[in-house]
């Protein structure tokens, strides 16, 4: 029995964890003379020795300069950052090498089928679970090493309500305000602001058990923002809500982002996410398949654009001109409508239209069909469940 | 906001509003869990039902009990009868309802996911647990206050002295608090449905057994009066005052550890708590030696040998269970834990054994087992020699020599077993990353194998007939210890076992000398800055 050189990893109370390899770690222990000394960075070679084995120490990534020895950003560039995040439950890889970052004030949509690993990643970010390997940062603070600082900056709304019996709405919010250390007038101000924002002022004395699902969601949103966090994690906030409640919730989220809050949101309602998110990440079977802004992903996944052209002149002649110009093999003629697939961006589409007009084709209408987020989601994912 | 502004505002308020304002400001200093739990529990059906049942039962018993004693109630002492009824009325809510409500409260937090929400708030696990405990305490006091006039009435009926009533109420209050701690501890043990069924069953069994035991003692106290001598009474109270809080603290620590994130140092608080309980056992053994009679006479209820054996057994059990978990800890420390490791030579000299890790855990257990054996062997002997009469010392020293032999052999077996447990858990850790409770399972497996294998071989060699104890049963700790306990001579087995244990200890110390090396890592400046920023500074915030 011995105390081996230390490498951070999941510790004693770790249900259903798979085997975790832990090769020797680099010596970054310091003597008393170094105990309060300045931070010192891992060098990259040492990190490679650590590859994929630890919590609290980010796996090797080329750009390590921004991280200190303890996995704390010296100058946080992003509000949320996941670095090669892994979470295993036995043989199941719930989260497998997920990395992305969210800039301040952005709304990031986290999309994936059931069991894709969205909630697991979000729980790790909310410091409710620990990664098997890799690390996650909120405002530059590691969820593993400095969870208390992460919690100060984070508001988490889980997919379950998490409400108490025998308490009214105001008592519920008041309790969480106290739990976040708010006292005196500051607490009263925050309570007032949150109830105004979520529209729960009118039901403040009502018992929670009598509330509708939509109102409970509002209350839970209020609870998660009671301490005015800079980052909010919303796990399926719109699940089970009627269309009106969904629209109201969407407006509230947009408003929060306008206030400068960074929001990570997961939802199954992709059209809604496409409308409010600045960027999205698509996850399946624990792996991040695509990430970026909605338009970026759409264009990445758009192998060819479907164009529909309505001509007033002879359609056959126009079809031949299109074929000649663009070496398009097949143009479907449907009355005055010409339908074909065009490989090119929006600029090239403009060039095509101009060239057709110059060749004497009388164009009445040009329609291009771009893939929606739902189409992209369906093309990226395979519907696999772990 | 300065005082003048407060004054000008408060002067315009009515008395009731001012009281409300003051209460609101006062509540800022209270544990939020206590406020929430109190709001919840005072509105709950369970509390309302229990409270009114208690009132009705107390009133009913006052009338029925008094009428049943008529007309002798004016001439003969009738307090015991009435007090017995009041005790029964009070014991049910205090010893059963409140602990079970506390269990259920934590269970519901786990079920509804609110414990997760609390764990990401600013509340520490200690605040969560103490808040629940304080709320239970409040309920206990409410129930107690209801019964207080009835007890005063019973006292006026003569037959029970004030000391007995005080003893009964104190025991009820202390037992209620302790059983609540036990219930909360059990509620935190598991988060799975099947696990919770088992813990609930365990809690109910413990509560019922405790109620039965306490009720037996209390009814004897009510009906027969205090049968303890002043020394025995002092010993009972002092021992309970030391062991009870330490045991409660250990269970509260264990509960908070269940609610603490894995990246935190969860081992050191537990080790400190085990150490405190062990010290309280040593204190009680010293008291037993000094205060309790060495002979069992007709007038002696508590006797020194019985208590010493009981305390030895408690100490042995404590270190065996705690040791099996300490040696099962992960050898890998999180960076967060490494930031707080002892750094100076002085700090390392005294605190290394409290830092997490299986090797430090092993030595921590060994050192304490050694100290405990030394205390039972030499410390108590010295105490007896300097404080008891010659006759009493002659009896006590014989028993202490025997106790030393038993405890030292047990400690040697513990050292050897823990080495096996440590290796077994290390092997398991290659494939899995289990919880430290795996240590208890490994301990059970190891001790059974150590006893069963030599016994089975002996049975086989003797054609399944009974056979006498021999040196071949050296690893059979059950037979060896029971052999010593019965006063038989186990030959050279104890000596050999102790020799092996010392050898193992020395080899382990040499092999693990690197555990004393400094491994502390620097805390990033940004974290230090943030900590500085978060230092409590509430001045002027309560405006």
């Amino acid at each position: 029995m011995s105390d081996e050189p230390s490498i951070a990893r999941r510790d004693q109370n770790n249900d259903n964890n798979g085997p975790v390899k832990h090769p020797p770690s680099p010596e970054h222990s310091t003597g008393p003379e170094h105990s309060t000394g300045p931070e010192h960075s891992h060098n990259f070679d040492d990190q490679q020795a650590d590859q994929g084995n630890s919590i609290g120490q980010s796996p090797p990534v080329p750009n390590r300069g921004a991280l200190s020895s303890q996995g704390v950003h010296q100058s946080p560039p992003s509000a949320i950052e996941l670095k090669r995040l892994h979470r295993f439950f036995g043989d199941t890889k719930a989260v497998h090498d997920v990395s992305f970052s969210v800039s301040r004030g952005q709304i990031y949509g986290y999309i994936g089928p059931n069991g894709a690993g969205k909630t697991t990643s979000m729980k790790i970010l909310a410091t409710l679970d620990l990664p098997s390997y890799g690390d996650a940062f909120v405002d530059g603070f590691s969820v593993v090493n400095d969870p208390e600082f992460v919690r100060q900056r984070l508001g988490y709304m889980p997919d379950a309500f998490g409400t108490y019996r025998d308490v009214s709405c105001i008592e519920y919010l008041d309790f969480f305000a106290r739990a976040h250390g708010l006292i005196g007038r500051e607490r009263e101000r925050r309570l007032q602001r949150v109830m105004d924002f979520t529209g729960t002022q009118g039901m403040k004395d009502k018992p929670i058990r009598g509330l509708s699902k939509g109102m409970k969601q509002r209350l839970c949103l209020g609870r998660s923002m009671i301490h005015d966090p800079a980052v909010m994690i919303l796990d399926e906030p719109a699940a089970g809500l009627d269309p009106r409640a969904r629209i109201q919730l969407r407006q509230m989220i947009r408003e929060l982002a306008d206030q400068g809050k960074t929001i990570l949101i997961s939802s199954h309602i992709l059209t809604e996410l496409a409308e409010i998110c600045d960027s999205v990440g698509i996850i399946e079977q624990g792996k991040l398949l695509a990430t970026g802004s909605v338009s970026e992903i759409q264009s990445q996944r758009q192998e060819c654009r479907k164009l529909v052209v309505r001509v007033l002149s002879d359609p056959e002649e126009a079809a031949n001109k299109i074929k000649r110009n663009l070496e398009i093999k097949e143009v479907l003629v449907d009355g005055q409508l010409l339908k074909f697939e065009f490989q090119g961006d929006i600029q090239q589409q403009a060039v095509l239209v101009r060239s057709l007009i110059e060749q004497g084709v009388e164009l009445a209408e040009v329609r291009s069909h771009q893939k929606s987020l739902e189409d992209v989601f369906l093309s990226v994912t395979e519907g696999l469940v772990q | 906001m300065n005082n003048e502004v407060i004054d000008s505002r408060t002067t315009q308020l009515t008395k009731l509003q001012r009281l409300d304002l003051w209460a609101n400001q006062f509540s800022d200093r209270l544990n939020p869990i206590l406020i929430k739990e109190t709001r919840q529990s005072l509105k709950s059906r369970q509390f309302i039902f229990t409270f009114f049942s208690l009132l009705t039962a107390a009133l009913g018993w006052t009338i029925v009990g008094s009428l049943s004693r008529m007309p002798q109630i004016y001439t003969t002492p009738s307090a015991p009868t009435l007090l017995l009824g009041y005790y029964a009325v009070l014991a049910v809510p205090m010893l059963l309802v409140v602990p079970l409500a506390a269990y259920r409260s934590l269970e519901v937090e786990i079920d509804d996911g609110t414990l997760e929400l609390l764990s990401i708030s600013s509340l520490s696990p200690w605040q969560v647990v103490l808040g629940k405990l304080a709320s239970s305490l409040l309920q206990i006091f409410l129930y107690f206050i209801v019964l207080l006039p009835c007890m005063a009435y019973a006292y006026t009926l003569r037959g029970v002295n004030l000391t007995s009533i005080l003893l009964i109420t104190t025991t009820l209050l202390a037992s209620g608090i302790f059983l609540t701690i036990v219930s909360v501890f059990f509620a935190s043990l598991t988060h799975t449905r099947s696990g919770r069924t088992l813990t609930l069953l365990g809690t109910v069994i413990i509560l019922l057994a405790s109620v039965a035991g306490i009720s037996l003692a209390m009814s004897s106290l009510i009906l027969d009066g205090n049968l303890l001598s002043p020394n025995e009474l002092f010993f009972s109270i002092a021992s309970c005052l030391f062991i009870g809080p330490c045991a409660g603290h250990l269970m509260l620590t264990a509960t908070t550890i269940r609610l603490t994130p894995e990246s935190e140092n969860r081992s050191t608080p537990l080790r400190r708590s085990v150490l405190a309980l062990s010290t309280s056992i040593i204190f009680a053994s010293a008291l037993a030696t000094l205060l309790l009679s060495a002979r069992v006479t007709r007038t002696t209820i508590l006797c020194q040998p019985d208590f010493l054996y009981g305390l030895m057994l408690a100490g042995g059990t404590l270190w065996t269970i705690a040791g099996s978990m300490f040696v099962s800890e992960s050898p890998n420390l999180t960076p967060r834990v490494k930031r707080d490791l002892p750094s100076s030579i002085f700090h390392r000299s005294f605190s290394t054994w409290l830092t997490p890790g299986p090797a430090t855990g092993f030595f921590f257990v060994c050192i304490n087992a050694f100290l405990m054996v030394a205390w039972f062997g030499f410390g108590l002997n010295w105490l007896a020699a300097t404080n008891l009469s010659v006759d009493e010392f002659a009896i006590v020293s014989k028993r202490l020599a025997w106790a030393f032999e038993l405890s030292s052999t047990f400690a040697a077996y513990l050292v050897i077993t823990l080495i096996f447990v440590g290796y077994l858990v290390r092997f398991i850790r290659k494939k899995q990353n289990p919880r430290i409770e795996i240590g208890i399972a490994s301990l059970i497996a190891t001790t059974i194998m150590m006893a069963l294998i030599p016994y089975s071989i002996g049975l086989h060699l003797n054609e399944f007939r009974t056979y006498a104890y021999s040196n071949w049963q050296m690893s059979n700790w059950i037979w060896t210890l029971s052999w010593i306990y019965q006063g038989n001579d186990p030959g050279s087995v104890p000596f050999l076992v102790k020799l092996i244990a010392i050898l193992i200890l020395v080899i382990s110390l040499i092999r693990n000398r690197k555990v004393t090396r400094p491994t502390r890592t620097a805390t990033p400046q940004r974290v230090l800055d943030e900590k500085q920023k978060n230092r409590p500074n509430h001045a002027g915030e309560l405006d």
Side-chain angles (χ1 to χ4, degrees):
Chain A
M1 181 184 338
S2 69
D3 274 346
E4 291 164 5
S6 310
I7 300 170
R9 48 171 277 199
R10 282 186 66 74
D11 206 316
Q12 300 101 325
N13 185 10
N14 188 8
D15 309 13
N16 306 319
N17 258 348
V20 182
K21 293 174 191 167
H22 36 104
S25 78
E27 273 297 331
H28 29 259
S29 56
T30 59
E33 66 276 16
H34 295 126
S35 58
T36 54
E39 300 166 31
H40 46 278
S41 301
H42 284 298
N43 66 43
F44 182 56
D45 294 336
D46 284 346
Q47 275 296 317
Q48 277 184 322
D50 270 358
Q51 185 161 13
N53 64 14
S54 69
I55 54 168
Q57 297 174 359
S58 298
V61 285
N63 181 18
R64 294 287 300 158
L67 292 179
S68 75
S69 61
Q70 299 296 292
V72 177
H73 280 295
Q74 289 173 357
S75 53
S78 312
I80 298 174
E81 189 171 12
L82 271 69
K83 278 192 174 285
R84 303 203 59 186
L85 200 71
H86 294 73
R87 181 67 173 100
F88 303 149
F89 295 100
D91 293 333
T92 309
K93 293 172 180 173
V95 179
H96 185 61
D97 202 4
V98 169
S99 303
F100 65 82
S101 60
V102 186
S103 304
R104 289 168 203 286
Q106 276 203 334
I107 303 179
Y108 188 90
Y110 209 27
I111 311 167
N114 291 330
K118 300 186 298 291
T119 299
T120 307
S121 330
M122 287 179 147
K123 281 198 163 186
I124 290 172
L125 260 174
T127 72
L128 289 170
D129 196 6
L130 285 173
S132 303
Y133 309 143
D135 205 345
F137 300 88
V138 171
D139 197 21
F141 287 104
S142 159
V143 297
V144 178
N145 296 329
D146 303 292
E148 69 272 35
F149 302 138
V150 171
R151 286 169 198 154
Q152 284 174 0
R153 290 159 169 77
L154 194 96
Y156 175 59
M157 183 176 168
D159 50 355
F161 290 133
T163 52
Y164 290 107
R165 293 161 204 177
D166 298 319
V167 291
S168 65
C169 296
I170 183 79
E171 286 171 344
Y172 179 76
L173 290 175
D174 178 74
F175 165 62
F176 278 100
R178 286 170 193 272
H180 281 288
L182 296 172
I183 56 172
R185 289 247 154 162
E186 175 60 18
R187 190 179 69 241
E188 285 167 21
R189 273 196 292 270
R190 287 299 311 164
L191 281 173
Q192 192 62 43
R193 205 177 299 169
V194 162
M195 283 191 295
D196 287 343
F197 180 80
T198 53
T200 47
Q201 185 72 49
M203 53 175 196
K204 66 177 187 178
D205 294 320
K206 282 186 182 173
I208 293 178
R209 64 178 158 203
L211 297 183
S212 67
K213 194 168 184 180
M215 293 317 274
K216 274 185 183 169
Q217 284 294 66
R218 279 165 178 261
L219 194 66
C220 287
L221 182 69
R223 197 252 317 131
S224 64
M225 56 182 283
I226 192 81
H227 57 301
D228 195 19
V231 175
M232 295 191 70
I233 296 178
L234 313 176
D235 193 1
E236 301 284 355
L241 296 186
D242 63 43
R244 181 177 293 277
R246 245 187 271 160
I247 291 165
Q248 286 169 343
L249 187 74
R250 201 168 62 202
Q251 283 168 347
M252 279 193 269
I253 291 167
R254 191 69 260 177
E255 216 169 304
L256 285 172
D258 291 342
Q259 288 170 15
K261 295 193 191 304
T262 309
I263 297 169
L264 177 68
I265 177 172
S266 76
S267 177
H268 286 138
I269 304 151
L270 303 180
T271 45
E272 287 193 354
L273 280 186
E275 277 181 44
I276 60 168
C277 292
D278 300 300
S279 49
V280 293
I282 299 174
I283 185 172
E284 187 176 43
Q285 287 200 303
K287 288 183 183 170
L288 194 68
L289 302 178
T291 183
S293 69
V294 176
S295 58
E296 271 171 13
I297 295 181
Q298 280 170 338
S299 58
Q300 277 169 17
R301 292 282 154 182
Q302 188 102 356
E303 292 86 6
C304 48
R305 195 179 289 263
K306 279 183 186 166
L307 284 185
V308 181
V309 177
R310 184 187 293 277
V311 293
L312 299 178
S313 53
D314 181 16
E316 292 297 337
E317 191 188 339
N320 287 335
K321 280 178 182 169
I322 290 169
K323 278 182 191 171
R324 263 204 313 277
N325 278 359
L326 298 165
E327 296 176 353
I328 293 171
K329 287 178 183 168
E330 197 180 348
V331 176
L332 190 71
V333 180
D334 180 12
Q336 291 301 110
L337 289 177
L338 306 178
K339 295 176 183 172
F340 56 95
E341 287 189 340
F342 168 68
Q343 282 181 326
D345 58 17
I346 198 83
Q347 296 292 337
Q348 289 164 317
Q349 189 179 318
V351 172
L352 167 72
V353 172
R354 194 169 59 233
S355 113
L356 287 175
I357 293 169
E358 283 169 1
Q359 289 175 45
V361 178
E362 286 183 83
L363 288 181
E365 184 184 0
V366 179
R367 273 184 285 158
S368 78
H369 172 70
Q370 196 167 11
K371 284 187 175 177
S372 68
L373 188 58
E374 271 180 58
D375 296 328
V376 174
F377 177 74
L378 288 174
S379 70
V380 170
T381 59
E382 295 171 31
L384 299 173
V385 179
Q386 291 190 84
Chain B
M1 186 176 289
N2 58 35
N3 288 338
E4 287 173 20
V5 179
I6 295 173
D7 289 344
S8 65
R9 199 178 71 204
T10 48
T11 46
Q12 293 163 6
L13 302 174
T14 63
K15 276 184 184 173
L16 207 62
Q17 283 170 324
R18 255 183 286 173
L19 183 70
D20 188 46
L21 188 69
W22 177 83
N24 204 20
Q25 287 178 352
F26 177 71
S27 73
D28 282 334
R29 298 173 195 279
L30 293 176
N31 185 332
I33 299 278
L34 171 63
I35 297 168
K36 190 266 292 179
E37 290 280 324
T38 309
R39 278 174 175 164
Q40 257 185 303
S41 56
L42 293 187
K43 277 193 253 177
S44 71
R45 284 181 202 160
Q46 169 256 315
F47 176 78
I48 293 165
F49 176 77
T50 313
F51 191 78
F52 282 102
S53 301
L54 185 80
L55 275 177
T56 315
L59 187 67
W61 177 243
T62 306
I63 295 165
V64 172
S66 302
L67 288 177
S68 69
R69 298 290 298 173
M70 289 290 182
Q72 298 95 321
I73 198 164
Y74 299 109
T75 52
T76 53
S78 306
T81 314
L82 265 96
L83 208 55
L84 209 58
Y86 293 140
Y87 168 79
V89 170
L90 201 52
V92 173
M94 281 172 82
L95 304 182
L96 276 177
V97 178
V98 173
L100 276 175
Y103 176 96
R104 183 79 189 123
S105 167
L106 191 58
E107 191 187 39
V108 168
E109 296 259 19
I110 295 167
D111 272 350
D112 292 353
T114 44
L115 194 65
E116 281 193 344
L117 300 178
L118 290 182
S119 69
I120 56 173
S121 68
S122 304
L123 293 175
S124 69
W126 269 104
Q127 279 180 293
V128 174
V129 174
L130 288 181
K132 299 228 172 261
L133 192 64
S135 159
S136 301
L137 201 61
L138 195 72
Q139 288 183 55
I140 285 176
F141 272 113
L142 277 176
Y143 296 139
F144 177 68
I145 287 165
V146 168
L147 256 280
L148 208 58
C150 298
M151 286 193 168
Y153 166 68
Y155 177 65
T156 60
L157 298 178
R158 291 164 291 127
V160 177
N161 59 21
L162 203 59
T163 317
S164 297
I165 291 179
L166 274 176
L167 217 57
I168 292 162
T169 49
T170 314
T171 308
L172 262 178
L173 283 172
S175 307
I177 296 166
F178 190 77
L179 289 175
T180 307
I181 293 173
V182 172
S183 302
V184 173
F185 167 69
F186 269 85
S188 72
L189 277 183
T190 178
H191 290 192
T192 62
R193 199 166 285 274
S194 55
R196 259 187 271 131
T197 311
L198 280 177
T199 52
L200 179 62
L201 193 69
T203 311
V204 170
I205 289 170
I206 287 173
L207 291 182
L208 288 175
S210 305
V211 169
I214 295 165
S215 301
L216 213 63
M218 290 303 106
S219 55
S220 157
L221 187 64
I222 292 166
L223 297 174
D224 306 329
N226 177 23
L227 300 177
L228 299 177
S229 68
N231 267 2
E232 288 171 337
L233 190 64
F234 180 73
F235 168 76
S236 307
I237 293 170
S239 301
C240 288
L241 277 179
F242 273 85
I243 294 179
C246 289
H249 185 267
L250 177 61
M251 261 183 283
L252 284 176
T253 309
T255 310
T256 57
I257 277 167
R258 301 287 307 163
L259 311 179
T260 305
E262 293 160 36
S263 56
E264 305 261 352
N265 178 1
R266 304 191 295 182
S267 184
T268 304
L270 198 62
R271 289 186 194 193
R272 285 200 191 114
S273 201
V274 170
L275 200 59
L277 182 56
S278 183
T279 311
S280 71
I281 290 173
I282 284 174
F283 173 81
S285 69
L287 270 185
T289 304
L290 291 176
L291 297 175
L292 303 181
S293 171
R295 294 190 183 87
V296 182
T297 61
R298 268 195 325 157
T299 53
T300 305
I301 294 169
L302 307 178
C303 74
Q304 184 253 6
D306 283 353
F307 262 85
L308 273 187
Y309 307 151
L311 292 169
M312 272 170 55
L313 189 68
T317 311
L318 172 73
W319 284 108
T320 306
I321 293 173
S324 70
M325 289 197 280
F326 291 149
V327 298
S328 306
E329 288 175 0
S330 166
N332 304 302
L333 307 183
T334 61
R336 187 178 171 78
V337 173
K338 287 169 83 181
R339 285 178 193 166
D340 298 325
L341 290 180
S343 55
S344 66
I345 290 174
F346 179 79
H347 198 186
R348 282 208 303 278
S349 309
F350 291 97
S351 306
T352 298
W353 314 118
L354 294 175
T355 58
T360 57
F362 176 68
F363 292 121
F364 178 67
V365 176
C366 289
I367 290 165
N368 280 289
F370 172 78
L371 286 175
M372 212 164 212
V373 168
W375 172 254
F376 279 115
F378 306 110
L380 289 182
N381 237 324
W382 168 79
L383 211 61
T386 51
N387 289 285
L388 299 183
S389 67
V390 177
D391 290 345
E392 275 195 320
F393 176 67
I395 298 164
V396 169
S397 64
K398 266 187 205 169
R399 292 203 164 115
L400 287 177
W402 176 85
F404 175 68
E405 181 69 4
L406 193 65
S407 60
S408 58
T409 312
F410 176 80
Y413 273 120
L414 178 63
V415 170
I416 296 167
T417 313
L418 288 183
I419 279 287
F420 281 117
V421 170
Y423 278 109
L424 189 60
V425 174
R426 263 179 90 178
F427 177 74
I428 295 167
R429 278 194 184 278
K430 286 183 179 174
K431 298 277 177 196
Q432 297 285 324
N433 201 7
R435 288 157 50 155
I436 56 164
E437 285 87 340
I438 190 76
I440 298 174
S442 304
L443 178 86
I444 292 168
T446 309
T447 48
I448 287 175
M449 295 309 276
M450 278 171 68
L452 208 61
I453 290 173
Y455 185 72
S456 307
I457 292 171
L459 268 183
H460 182 73
L461 293 176
N462 289 285
E463 295 174 344
F464 298 95
R465 285 173 298 190
T466 50
Y467 58 97
Y469 181 83
S470 70
N471 285 359
W472 291 107
Q473 298 298 324
M474 193 164 65
S475 77
N476 190 341
W477 61 278
I478 297 177
W479 202 350
T480 307
L481 290 176
S482 60
W483 200 248
I484 299 172
Y485 182 79
Q486 287 159 8
N488 299 315
D489 179 21
S492 56
V493 169
F495 172 74
L496 287 172
V497 171
K498 286 171 211 169
L499 191 68
I500 292 168
I502 289 168
L503 279 174
I504 284 175
L505 201 58
V506 171
I507 292 167
S508 297
L509 260 176
I510 294 167
R511 280 195 63 211
N512 292 291
R513 61 188 183 280
K514 65 184 175 185
V515 297
T516 54
R517 280 184 196 164
T519 52
R520 182 176 171 136
T521 53
T523 307
Q525 191 56 44
R526 187 154 182 249
V527 173
L528 294 173
D529 292 344
E530 195 67 23
K531 278 185 181 168
Q532 184 68 29
K533 211 165 74 182
N534 284 345
R535 291 255 161 85
N537 179 21
H538 295 310
E541 286 181 36
L542 287 168
D543 51 347

